[in-house]
Amino acid sequence: MPPAHPFDTSYLSDGGDDDKLKEECGVFGVVGVADAASFVALGMHALQHRGQEAGGIVTYDAEAGFQSARRFGYVRDSFTSQKVMETLPGPIGIGHVRYSTAGSKGQTAIRDVQPFFGEFAMGGAAIAHNGNITNANALRRELIERGSIFQSSSDSECIIHLMARSLQRNIPERMEDALRRVEGAFSVVAMTRTKLIGVRDPLGVRPLVLGKIGDGWALSSETCALDIIGAEFVREIKPGEMVVITEKGVLSHFPFRPQPSKFCIFEHVYFSRPDSILGGRSVYETREAIGRELAKEAPVDADLVCPVPDSGTPAAIGYSLQSGIPYAMGIIRNQYMGRTFIEPTESIRNMGVRLKLNVNRALVRGKRIILVDDSVVRGTTSRKIKEMILDAGAAEVHFRIASPPTAWPCFYGVDTPDRDKLLAATMSEDEMKDHLGVDSLKFISLDGLYRAVGESEGRNKSCPQYCDACFSGEYPVTPSDKVEDGFQMKPAAE
């Protein structure tokens, strides 16, 4: 066994943030610009928070044809090389950043990295997918029995094979045909030689937005990636909508049966960058509103409100403003913590959180501290942070969580532990408080979260306005593959 590296945090799911859910990917595409690959790389960099394991770009140029590059690691380490970017000429391109699922973490092959490419009778097409296909196992079995040969372990490859078997006349129609067979969540960015295509599933679970840049167009998972390339945000792609963009402009239609929107509410809580716009609302302002609502629902007498950086910061500011308790940076994040992949010793392992977070001792000593975080998943990091705060001399530690208890796994494009690994699935709020060893623990209510995202009457129990399955256990699309594997759905009467 190699010697332990003192800065190794690879034993945690994301270099120290082992108590967070992770988006599995982000998508981006442009058409009608010179040197499309450079714009795509910038967009992917802005979406890096949605996937850090690997990234890929596909472009098309009339002389060079379709070209692709797929790399492990951060965008800044792979797609800032002039040598790499010179291999990706053309005025149209799409890109994808990937964060693998829990089952395959650390075992991803380069062939699993998107975008995927297929050559059809009417020409080539590349596709990048954010979300998760919940009937992928059944589709894969059917396709293999009919002669399809899969190159990756990704559920997204099913779309390419379904397109190949379609009898429709052109690639957008074949994509429609394929996506009608798909269950689950999908925001897709695809390209042909001349067309940039964007599609959202009928429920609109994952985000996708349209932007204008000069005479060209852009599609992105979030508006923050439009900002980085200087594109103007035009609008969100609607649930169930397909847009086909050419040099002539944007053609829109709705190929799926209309359904009530079920956008992922956790995008507001954590996944999306705070400088993005979702549903016409600033993500930052929504998170501040969540903090205000939390302060109304769960007040506590204390001296300081401190965020768990960085995701708890806007909610902590909102909690402070509503409660009148001063806001302070009681925990400081080291922004320069890298990652290595060498097995650490037990003594180094226990320092994992301290490599990323350090307590501002002079500030917290003798104080009653309210710690605001966006979520509690396993509870491992929360316990370590509490211990650090107490070791620094805090008199009391009160946790306030800017989301309801995460008690159910997500099957729509998020890396979630098995249900028995989720603290809220096995413990009550009081039991979690005792397990974490804090003076008090309170989560925002589901109705409170809905009010904070703009639903003044709270959650509509008969037809929830968002997908909130990770909190409620009410899945808008039955995860058929998981049920086949033994997953127990929540009883209807519960």
Side-chain angles (χ1 to χ4, degrees), residues 1 28 56 67-68 98 151 196 229-230 242 279-280 294 331 352 384 403-404 427 434:
M1 182 181 295
F28 192 85
Q67 299 293 325
S68 69
R98 171 191 171 89
Q151 301 295 318
L196 180 66
I229 65 167
M242 170 182 270
L294 186 55
I331 301 172
K384 290 172 183 175
S403 63
M427 297 183 187
D434 294 339

Side-chain angles (χ1 to χ4, degrees), residues 257-278:
R257 180 173 58 86
Q259 297 183 51
S261 173
K262 299 291 183 192
F263 184 63
C264 170
I265 202 166
F266 215 85
E267 291 278 357
H268 286 288
V269 174
Y270 176 70
F271 296 142
S272 294
R273 259 177 46 170
D275 51 334
S276 284
I277 305 293
L278 290 178

Side-chain angles (χ1 to χ4, degrees), residues 242-258:
M242 170 182 270
V243 292
V244 180
I245 308 169
T246 66
E247 58 184 18
K248 296 178 181 178
V250 180
L251 294 176
S252 165
H253 69 293
F254 292 83
F256 310 107
R257 180 173 58 86

Side-chain angles (χ1 to χ4, degrees), residues 64-129:
F66 284 96
Q67 299 293 325
S68 69
R70 293 183 282 183
R71 299 286 188 275
F72 290 118
Y74 292 127
V75 175
R76 68 177 186 228
D77 297 330
S78 304
F79 295 102
T80 51
S81 160
Q82 185 177 349
K83 185 178 179 181
V84 172
M85 300 309 287
E86 285 175 350
T87 68
L88 299 167
I92 182 170
I94 64 172
H96 184 275
V97 288
R98 171 191 171 89
Y99 191 94
S100 67
T101 59
S104 61
K105 197 178 311 312
Q107 302 170 25
T108 302
I110 198 70
R111 63 177 179 269
D112 294 327
V113 180
Q114 296 184 47
F116 292 130
F117 177 78
E119 194 73 59
F120 305 105
M122 65 289 294
I127 184 169
H129 167 221

Side-chain angles (χ1 to χ4, degrees), residues 137-157:
N137 290 349
L139 288 174
R140 181 181 283 255
R141 282 196 303 269
E142 175 192 323
L143 287 162
I144 289 173
E145 286 171 3
R146 294 185 176 186
S148 294
I149 300 172
F150 280 75
Q151 301 295 318
S152 78
S153 62
S154 172
D155 60 340
S156 309
E157 193 184 347

Side-chain angles (χ1 to χ4, degrees), residues 30-32 60-62 66 91-92 122 124-125 171-172 190-197 244-249:
V30 290
V31 64
Y60 178 80
D61 176 73
F66 284 96
I92 182 170
M122 65 289 294
I171 287 172
M191 60 176 280
T192 67
R193 289 170 293 185
T194 58
K195 299 180 178 74
L196 180 66
I197 304 166
V244 180
I245 308 169
T246 66
E247 58 184 18
K248 296 178 181 178

